[in-house]
């Protein structure tokens, strides 16, 4: 038997010498019987049928997720998560820290979590996005939401930050309204008090910075706070000294609903890596600068490249010894005069920013990095919708 094939216009003949074994009959076959129409069971038939989940223990007693046995444990093990055991009466939920700028919300967040998850500065309006920190307790899990300070907005950025806070208030289980002990209650505090008066969540008034005043002044402030609104509780605290932190945690946990844990054991924040790096650089840049610069400064992570990975970045040759992670960051200001402030004479100030920021980033990443900082100008970016969108606001 021979067959022909054509390749590149040339005829080739291939001789087949082995016999061909046919496993299917050759020639005409009988026509196939028409397929029966598909019939789906009715809802009544489905409800009356056998229960596919019969015999499976679906009780939510937390045992499956805690010891790794059963469906919940198998899912957690497959995902590499360690779900905390949930005793009877366990509570979990979201607690929002709210207040005007520079009332100690971020410092208090870090004190409650037990480690740094939010940047801190004595400059107002340091926080520009919601920062989540997770407090793990034997009887509860408190997910703290540190919000930007509410203020009378002068720019589109300020308006969007206020809107972010108001949106957050609709999704939390308890609100912690922070009022500093060393400042008299003012229009900003009264504005926020009116704003949260209609909130469905209970409001705990937290008098922060209690260590900065004497006992009599603290007592007077507590009395003034009590007259400011109808609060579920009033708690004075000092985050700097760690005083009354456990008391506040107890109060916040008591207002949370009964619930299994929302985050795995050991997870203290869900902040993205690049956002944390940007915030640490901004914290370093805010130290010791003039009043107008903090509001005009944005930090953008351009690239993070690990030389030990398989995908090369665009940074060119690896800088620094020991295969350090390459981190490239841009500091954005609104005017050239502000750019000169950030850079400093002969680049001295930018070098200081780099030293401080690198230390914080290395503590966060737990490895050495090479930090490459650049300063650029984006005129009036705080009021430019396109720039705000580009910078993540």
């Amino acid at each position: 038997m021979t067959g022909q094939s054509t390749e590149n216009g040339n005829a080739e003949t291939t001789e087949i010498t082995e016999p061909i074994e046919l496993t299917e009959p050759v020639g005409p076959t009988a026509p196939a019987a028409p397929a029966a129409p598909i019939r789906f069971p009715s809802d009544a038939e489905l409800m009356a049928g056998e229960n596919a989940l019969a015999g499976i223990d679906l009780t939510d007693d937390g045992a499956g997720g805690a010891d790794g046995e059963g469906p919940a444990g198998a899912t957690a093990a497959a995902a590499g998560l360690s779900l905390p055991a949930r005793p009877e009466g366990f509570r979990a939920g979201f607690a929002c820290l709210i207040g005007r700028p520079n009332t100690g919300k971020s410092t208090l967040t870090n004190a409650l979590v037990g480690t740094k998850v939010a940047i801190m500065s004595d400059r107002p309006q340091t926080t520009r996005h919601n920062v989540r920190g997770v407090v793990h307790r034997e009887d509860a899990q408190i997910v703290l939401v540190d919000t930007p300070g509410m203020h009378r907005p002068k720019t589109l950025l300020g308006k969007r930050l206020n809107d972010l806070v108001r949106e957050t208030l609709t999704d939390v289980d308890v609100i912690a309204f922070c009022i500093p002990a060393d400042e008299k209650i003012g229009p900003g505090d009264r504005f926020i008090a009116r704003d949260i008066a209609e909130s469905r969540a209970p409001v705990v008034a937290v008098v922060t910075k209690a260590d900065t005043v004497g006992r009599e002044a603290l007592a007077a402030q507590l009395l003034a706070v009590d007259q400011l609104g109808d609060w579920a509780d009033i708690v004075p605290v000092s985050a700097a000294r760690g005083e009354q932190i456990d008391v506040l945690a107890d109060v916040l946990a008591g207002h949370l609903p009964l619930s299994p844990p929302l985050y795995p054991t050991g997870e203290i924040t869900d902040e993205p890596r690049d956002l944390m790096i940007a915030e640490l650089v901004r914290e370093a840049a805010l130290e010791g600068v003039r009043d107008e610069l903090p509001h005009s400064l944005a930090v953008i992570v351009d690239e993070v490249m690990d030389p030990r990975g398989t995908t090369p970045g665009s940074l060119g040759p690896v800088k620094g010894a020991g295969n350090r992670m390459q981190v490239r960051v841009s500091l954005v200001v609104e005017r050239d005069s502000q750019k000169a402030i950030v850079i400093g004479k002969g680049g001295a100030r930018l070098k200081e920013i780099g030293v401080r920021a690198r230390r914080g980033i290395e503590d966060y990443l737990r490895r050495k990095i090479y930090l490459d900082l650049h300063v650029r100008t984006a005129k009036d970016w705080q009021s430019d919708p396109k720039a705000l969108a580009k910078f993540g606001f």
Side-chain angles (χ1 to χ4, degrees):
M1 177 178 179
T2 62
Q4 290 186 333
S5 63
T6 303
E7 182 178 358
N8 297 328
N10 298 323
E12 295 183 355
T13 302
T14 303
E15 183 176 354
I16 301 176
T17 57
E18 296 294 330
I20 299 177
E21 183 176 338
L22 300 176
T23 57
E24 296 292 338
V26 179
T29 57
I38 299 175
R39 177 183 175 275
F40 291 96
S42 64
D43 291 345
E45 290 173 323
L46 288 173
M47 295 298 294
E50 181 180 357
N51 183 4
L53 300 179
I56 298 178
D57 184 9
L58 298 177
T59 56
D60 183 18
D61 59 2
D67 57 14
E69 296 180 0
T75 302
L81 302 178
S82 174
L83 297 179
R86 177 166 62 93
E88 185 177 355
F90 191 90
R91 296 177 179 272
F94 292 85
C96 176
L97 276 65
I98 187 177
R100 54 184 170 82
N102 206 25
T103 56
K105 299 183 297 297
S106 296
T107 306
L108 181 57
T109 297
N110 293 337
L112 285 164
V113 174
T115 190
K116 186 172 184 175
V117 296
I119 69 169
M120 300 177 293
S121 171
D122 57 358
R123 302 292 177 182
Q125 300 176 34
T126 299
T127 303
R128 283 181 174 166
H129 66 283
N130 288 343
V131 179
R132 289 185 181 178
V134 185
V135 181
H136 296 275
R137 295 163 47 105
E138 292 185 359
D139 61 340
Q141 188 181 84
I142 310 171
V143 183
L144 299 171
V145 185
D146 177 21
T147 61
M150 290 195 70
H151 60 288
R152 189 182 300 277
K154 298 180 180 179
T155 63
L156 180 58
L157 172 62
K159 181 180 182 301
R160 289 189 177 180
L161 294 182
N162 279 358
D163 292 342
L164 175 64
V165 176
R166 291 190 176 96
E167 290 174 6
T168 304
L169 294 178
T170 63
D171 297 323
V172 297
D173 301 293
V174 59
I175 299 171
F177 179 21
C178 297
I179 304 171
D182 59 344
E183 300 178 27
K184 290 185 178 181
I185 293 175
D189 299 310
R190 287 188 282 270
F191 170 76
I192 297 174
R194 290 192 299 269
D195 216 39
I196 62 178
E198 303 300 324
S199 172
R200 65 168 184 81
V203 181
V204 176
V206 182
V207 179
T208 60
K209 307 181 183 182
D211 59 297
T212 61
V213 298
R215 296 176 64 89
E216 292 185 3
L218 179 58
Q221 185 73 329
L222 290 173
L223 207 58
V225 169
D226 181 53
Q227 297 172 353
L228 183 61
D230 185 16
W231 317 119
D233 295 281
I234 302 177
V235 184
V237 300
S238 169
R241 295 183 179 178
E243 297 173 354
Q244 293 275 104
I245 299 299
D246 290 340
V247 174
L248 177 59
D250 289 339
V251 170
L252 294 177
H255 290 291
L256 300 180
L258 295 173
S259 168
L262 304 175
Y263 285 82
T265 301
E267 186 167 333
I268 59 173
T269 185
D270 59 1
E271 291 292 282
R273 180 199 62 185
D274 287 7
L275 183 56
M276 281 295 295
I277 291 175
E279 288 293 271
L280 290 169
V281 173
R282 192 162 67 92
E283 180 183 43
L286 291 178
E287 189 170 324
V289 298
R290 299 178 184 177
D291 291 340
E292 75 274 8
L293 184 57
H295 312 295
S296 302
L297 178 64
V299 178
I300 309 298
V301 175
D302 298 314
E303 186 171 15
V304 177
M305 192 269 284
D306 189 348
R308 300 182 303 192
T310 57
T311 303
S314 61
L315 294 178
V318 175
K319 302 177 182 179
N323 278 337
R324 298 186 177 211
M325 182 174 284
Q326 311 288 294
V327 180
R328 183 176 181 177
V329 177
S330 292
L331 290 84
V332 184
V333 294
E334 290 187 308
R335 298 188 297 275
D336 289 338
S337 59
Q338 297 169 339
K339 184 176 181 179
I341 295 174
V342 175
I343 295 175
K345 186 177 181 179
R349 171 151 182 76
L350 186 61
K351 183 177 180 180
E352 293 175 3
I353 294 172
V355 171
R356 283 194 297 267
R358 185 175 66 249
R359 189 181 304 121
I361 296 171
E362 288 180 343
D363 288 344
Y364 167 66
L365 295 177
R366 299 186 181 277
R367 64 172 294 185
K368 296 293 184 180
I369 70 166
Y370 182 89
L371 181 59
D372 192 7
L373 297 179
H374 298 266
V375 183
R376 52 192 176 93
T377 304
K379 186 177 180 181
D380 298 329
W381 68 263
Q382 292 186 87
S383 299
D384 183 350
K386 291 183 178 180
L388 289 176
K390 183 179 179 180
F391 296 160
F393 297 109

